[in-house]
């Protein structure tokens, strides 16, 4: 899953793809690099990010999704949003997945939009909200609590009419977690995989990689590959990354090694 942030303020590439043509160009490049899914976002969820209005988010992403869907590249489009109105417009423009970092909690209409359109959705764990989540996150048992949360959100989605086979789960690396929480989640990923749905993992360029390696966001590719390979080995199946080509190579090698066929 390649990331296309149509924002001025995303933590690693803010402002690079805010322009419609730049975003479409980047999307095409990620397809050429081997992305199967492109995840378009019009609102940063980095720690401390300010909320964006529905109108602004629509303005940023819908045209880009229309252009990419029209280009018929064979890639699946995902919309990274917690707003039902944005999801609805993105689906009308060609999106087949809704990636909701609030796991259907932020907007009461979101579950209905996903169910009625029978699109895929990713339910992610987050403690608190982006403005406050990194203040002082605490868990007794981070892996157990995240797994329990995702199980509850999966049941909620199914109850709202979303087909179970449409749902992917994500432990939300960096969303209300310390470095140690993120490492524990990667270590214990099999507990999330055991919930029976495909697991999405998003470590790409994130700050815990910088805290361990001492590197800036632009220099975290090696750490990104390492964590994605680890996640693959523990059963994750969707890898949300900014640098598709390099991570894909890492995953191909991991798959060739792990799957002795
Ligand atoms: N991480 C980010 C955004 N959306 N969605 C899922 N499912 N999992 C993630 O780990 C995840 C996500 C943050 O990364 P990015 O989009 O690059 O940054 P920003 O939120 O600043 O735009």
């Amino acid at each position: 899953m390649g990331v296309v942030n149509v924002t001025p303020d995303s933590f690693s590439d803010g402002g690079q793809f805010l322009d419609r043509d730049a975003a479409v160009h980047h999307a095409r490049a990620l397809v050429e690099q081997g992305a199967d899914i492109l995840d378009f976002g019009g609102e940063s969820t980095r720690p401390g990010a300010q909320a964006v209005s529905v109108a602004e988010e629509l303005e940023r992403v819908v045209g880009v999704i229309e252009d990419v869907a029209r280009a018929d590249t064979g890639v699946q489009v995902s919309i990274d949003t917690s707003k039902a109105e944005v999801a609805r417009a993105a689906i009308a423009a060609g999106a087949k997945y809704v990636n909701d970092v609030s796991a259907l909690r932020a907007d009461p209409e979101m579950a209905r939009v996903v169910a009625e359109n029978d699109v895929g959705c990713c339910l992610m764990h987050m403690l608190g909200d982006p403005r406050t989540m990194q203040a002082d996150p605490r868990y007794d048992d981070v892996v157990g609590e995240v797994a329990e949360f995702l199980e509850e959100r999966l049941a909620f989605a199914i109850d709202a009419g979303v087909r179970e086979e449409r749902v992917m789960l994500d432990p939300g690396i960096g969303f209300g977690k310390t470095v140690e929480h993120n490492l524990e989640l990667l270590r214990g990923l099999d507990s999330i995989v055991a919930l029976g749905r495909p697991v999405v993992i998003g470590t790409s360029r994130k700050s815990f990689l910088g805290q361990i390696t001492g590197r800036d966001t632009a220099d975290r590719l090696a750490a990104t590959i390492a964590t994605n390979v680890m996640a693959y080995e523990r059963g994750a199946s969707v890898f949300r990354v900014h640098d598709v080509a390099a991570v894909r190579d890492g995953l191909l090698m991991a798959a060739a090694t792990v799957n002795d066929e």
Side-chain angles (χ1 to χ4, degrees):
M1 175 187 272
V3 180
V4 183
N5 285 321
V6 195
T7 62
D9 59 344
S10 286
F11 79 93
S12 79
D13 54 3
Q16 280 185 52
F17 312 115
L18 183 57
D19 172 73
R20 177 167 173 167
D21 289 341
V24 173
H25 187 266
H26 186 57
R28 284 174 178 273
L30 295 184
V31 172
E32 270 167 34
Q33 290 180 32
D36 298 314
I37 304 173
L38 291 179
D39 190 35
F40 293 90
E43 177 175 40
S44 172
T45 51
R46 77 185 150 73
Q50 289 306 309
V52 169
S53 70
V54 172
E56 180 66 36
E57 210 177 316
L58 287 169
E59 167 73 24
R60 289 180 187 174
V61 292
V62 175
V64 176
I65 291 176
E66 274 169 4
D67 288 354
V68 171
R70 206 177 303 124
D72 202 18
T73 57
V75 77
Q76 298 268 19
V77 169
S78 164
I79 175 70
D80 186 345
T81 188
S82 296
K83 299 187 182 81
E85 206 174 323
V86 175
R88 209 178 279 121
I91 292 165
K96 301 285 186 225
Y97 291 92
V98 173
N99 173 24
D100 181 359
V101 298
S102 85
L104 310 178
R105 293 177 297 164
D107 188 327
E109 290 294 305
M110 189 62 116
R112 188 139 59 90
V113 171
V114 173
E116 282 179 2
N117 290 282
D118 196 25
V119 289
C121 74
C122 176
L123 306 179
M124 197 197 78
H125 176 270
M126 167 165 46
L127 188 68
D129 65 55
R131 271 170 298 280
T132 60
M133 64 189 181
Q134 288 306 104
D136 183 22
R138 286 176 198 229
Y139 303 83
D140 290 327
D141 163 18
V142 66
V143 177
E145 287 169 47
V146 168
E148 197 178 314
F149 170 88
L150 292 175
E151 194 170 20
E152 187 274 316
R153 296 320 293 163
L154 173 61
F156 172 88
I158 292 169
D159 226 41
V162 177
R163 286 197 292 140
E164 181 167 2
E165 55 268 40
R166 291 295 200 201
V167 181
M168 304 186 289
L169 302 175
D170 185 333
I173 298 294
F175 286 85
K177 280 115 187 162
T178 62
V179 174
E180 187 50 37
H181 293 144
N182 292 322
L183 297 175
E184 275 185 58
L185 281 165
L186 287 172
R187 233 175 260 136
L189 206 60
D190 50 338
S191 298
I192 313 289
V193 173
L195 298 174
R197 299 305 314 143
V199 169
V200 180
I201 197 81
T203 63
S204 191
R205 301 181 183 171
K206 284 188 178 165
S207 84
F208 80 114
L209 306 177
Q211 289 182 52
I212 290 176
T213 61
R215 298 199 183 272
D216 293 337
T217 45
D219 298 318
R220 295 178 186 161
L221 179 54
T224 296
I225 297 170
T227 47
N228 278 284
V229 166
M230 301 289 295
Y232 173 83
E233 196 269 339
R234 284 161 170 73
S237 45
V238 178
F239 307 87
R240 185 183 182 280
V241 296
H242 304 86
D243 305 283
V244 169
V247 177
R248 188 168 180 273
D249 281 1
L251 291 171
L252 284 172
M253 286 316 300
T257 311
V258 171
N259 306 323
D260 179 21
E261 285 156 5

